[in-house]
Amino acid sequence: MTGSDEDPRVAELRTAVSRLRRELAAHPAEFPDRGIAEDELASLAAMAITGRPEIPRLRRSLLLVAGAIGSVSALARGLSEVRAAVELFGESPRR
């Protein structure tokens, strides 16, 4: 889906996830949960491609990515951008 009918939140999510995936791929250090981060970022990217991401799944993937790469300071900015993009879809109903 492209053009003016695209949800701008989805476009922001796709951009942020793509950027973090590139940063993670270029990051030279291995860390124990790198595979989890890569898998969940792939899942987020797939949801963004469909144009209709499931909000609970978005939040779950974000938590897994944050847990997996949260201590890697070189990826903090990209993670923050993904978090902001997920938050565009609204607050969690449990708050």
Side-chain angles (χ1 to χ4, degrees):
M1 181 168 163
T2 60
S4 62
D5 60 340
E6 181 177 41
D7 184 335
R9 300 173 303 170
V10 173
E12 185 69 26
L13 178 64
R14 186 171 37 251
T15 299
V17 168
S18 178
R19 185 175 300 125
L20 183 55
R21 288 178 86 186
R22 285 191 310 269
E23 290 173 5
L24 180 58
H27 190 67
E30 286 298 322
F31 47 93
D33 294 331
R34 185 180 190 125
I36 293 170
E38 291 169 344
D39 290 347
E40 291 304 319
L41 286 170
S43 178
L44 284 167
M47 284 187 271
I49 288 171
T50 68
R52 298 184 64 170
E54 298 174 30
I55 295 170
R57 181 71 175 114
L58 281 178
R59 293 187 181 288
R60 180 180 179 277
S61 289
L62 174 62
L63 287 173
L64 290 169
V65 171
I69 67 173
S71 65
V72 182
S73 61
L75 302 174
R77 181 173 172 229
L79 178 58
S80 178
E81 290 173 1
V82 171
R83 180 179 293 123
V86 169
E87 288 174 356
L88 292 174
F89 289 89
E91 291 294 318
S92 175
R94 294 184 182 179
R95 288 186 178 215

